[in-house]
């Protein structure tokens, strides 16, 4: 029977298939590398803007002053729909007021000090969250990659029945290929609980848009706010009639008096300057995974209750715990260091997984020298590209084109690795080795 496609066409199809697989592995590797780096998100912000005022706490009256100063700076512009006050925390001891269009660090008296300039940390976070793509597409894609890690972890266990028995067996002295396989399997076992937790929570965060919109479309007539209200609380009815700004100080004083064990991380003004305005205080509960509880207050400072993230349904508490569990925002510096170590290990597992596939292809008589070289470029180039963007931030400033720098450096590293592999006398691939048992 005559083949459906010519041999050259088949060969090109195989190359295209391999290239697509390499791109998927590269994006998965990028997500792991940036996720490891972003654990130090607050520390990076402090590194970027070392001159911003820092404090262990701020007086409630000073918070009101800060809000009034920032709102006054936007006089004559479209009113902001939300105003956030980041209260000083141990990881980021700064008070920052953010509106829909700008953000300022303020001093302990509430005076505007300097604009917030943390574009590099935000770039790194966006690279991990959504690969610098539009939110709905990027977060969905990252969520799917999270599901892929779960599938890879489970299938890897099934494919290697001795994986736990050989958890501490390393054959590093035999040859590079055996060493690569052993390190891949050992690190995969040691990081398995971490990988599953990170992948599952990452999938939930990444697929938030799809799940939220789907739920709203099927059960709430397209109303996304109503769909999320059972988890995060409902928004009061709005009223755009102008009104004086509310005072936040009474709410902060109420929290200090009635909930002294709760640390306030944010004060959020909804629709400030209107009759429909209201206030939410985000309170962090010690020894809990939840990112916080929403404490609702009226414009006059009257306490209206909580959303139930700390003591509501199991689903609410679970939803509120996903973010901290994914990013390691609990337990302080020791937990962050553990996340960094496990993140590095997970990145190595992803990287070596592709090398193992390349080794198997070579043993079958189908070496992929160009793909091998390209994967070396990915493995080394992406961390180098992140460092390049940091150097650009320190050298050029907050306005440096971080997205362009990252992707140009990363692609240049891949291209350079491929070009070098094609030089006369260059080793296209590692020496073939005998077949061995995994």
């Amino acid at each position: 029977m005559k083949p459906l496609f010519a041999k050259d066409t088949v060969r090109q199809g195989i190359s295209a298939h391999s290239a697509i697989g390499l791109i998927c592995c590269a994006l998965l590797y990028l997500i792991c590398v940036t996720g490891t780096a972003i654990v130090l998100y607050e520390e990076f912000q402090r590194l970027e803007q070392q001159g911003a005022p820092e404090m262990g706490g701020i007086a409630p009256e000073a918070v009101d002053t800060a809000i009034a100063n920032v709102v006054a700076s936007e006089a004559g512009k479209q009113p902001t729909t939300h105003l956030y006050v980041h209260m000083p925390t141990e990881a980021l001891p700064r008070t920052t007021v953010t509106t829909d269009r700008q953000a300022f660090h303020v001093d302990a008296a509430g005076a505007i000090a300097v604009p917030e300039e943390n574009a590099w940390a935000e770039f790194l976070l966006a690279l991990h969250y959504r690969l610098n793509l539009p939110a709905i597409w990027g977060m969905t894609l990252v969520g799917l990659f999270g599901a892929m890690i779960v599938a890879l972890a489970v299938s890897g266990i099934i494919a290697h029945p001795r994986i736990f028995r050989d958890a501490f067996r390393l054959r590093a002295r035999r040859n590079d290929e055996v060493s690569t396989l052993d390190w891949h399997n050992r690190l995969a076992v040691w990081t398995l609980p971490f990988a599953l937790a990170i992948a599952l929570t990452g999938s939930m965060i990444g697929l938030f848009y799809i799940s939220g919109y789907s739920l709203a479309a099927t059960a709430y007539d397209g109303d996304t706010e109503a769909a999320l209200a059972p988890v995060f609380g409902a928004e009061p009815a709005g009223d755009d009639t102008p009104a004086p700004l509310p005072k936040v100080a009474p709410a902060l004083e109420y929290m200090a008096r009635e909930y002294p064990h709760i640390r306030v991380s944010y004060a959020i003004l909804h629709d400030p300057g209107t009759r429909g305005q209201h206030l939410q205080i985000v309170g962090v509960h010690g020894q809990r995974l939840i990112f916080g509880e929403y404490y609702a207050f009226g414009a006059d400072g009257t306490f209206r209750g909580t959303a139930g993230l700390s003591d509501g349904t199991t689903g609410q508490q679970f939803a509120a715990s996903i973010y901290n569990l994914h990013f390691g925002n609990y337990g302080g510096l020791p937990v962050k260091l553990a996340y960094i170590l496990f993140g590095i290990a997970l990145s190595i597992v992803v990287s070596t997984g592709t090398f193992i596939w390349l080794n198997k292809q070579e043993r079958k008589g189908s070496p992929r020298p160009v793909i091998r070289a390209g994967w070396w470029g990915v493995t080394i180039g992406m961390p180098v590209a992140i460092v390049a963007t940091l150097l650009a931030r320190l050298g050029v400033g907050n306005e440096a084109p971080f997205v362009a720098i990252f992707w140009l450096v990363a692609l240049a590293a891949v291209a350079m690795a491929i070009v070098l592999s094609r030089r006369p006398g260059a080793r296209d691939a590692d020496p073939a080795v005998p077949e061995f048992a995994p």
Side-chain angles (χ1 to χ4, degrees), residues 25-43:
C25 292
L27 293 177
L28 183 59
Y29 175 72
L30 174 60
I31 292 169
C32 293
V33 170
T34 53
T36 302
I38 210 63
V39 170
L40 297 176
Y41 176 63
E42 291 88 357
E43 288 77 8

Side-chain angles (χ1 to χ4, degrees), residues 10-26 354 357-358 361 366-372 375:
V10 172
R11 190 177 299 109
Q12 292 173 0
I14 293 174
S15 298
H17 180 77
S18 300
I20 293 171
L22 181 66
I23 292 173
C24 291
C25 292
T354 300
W357 175 80
L358 289 168
Q361 294 302 307
S366 301
R368 304 282 197 277
V370 174
I371 292 180
R372 180 183 291 274
W375 187 245

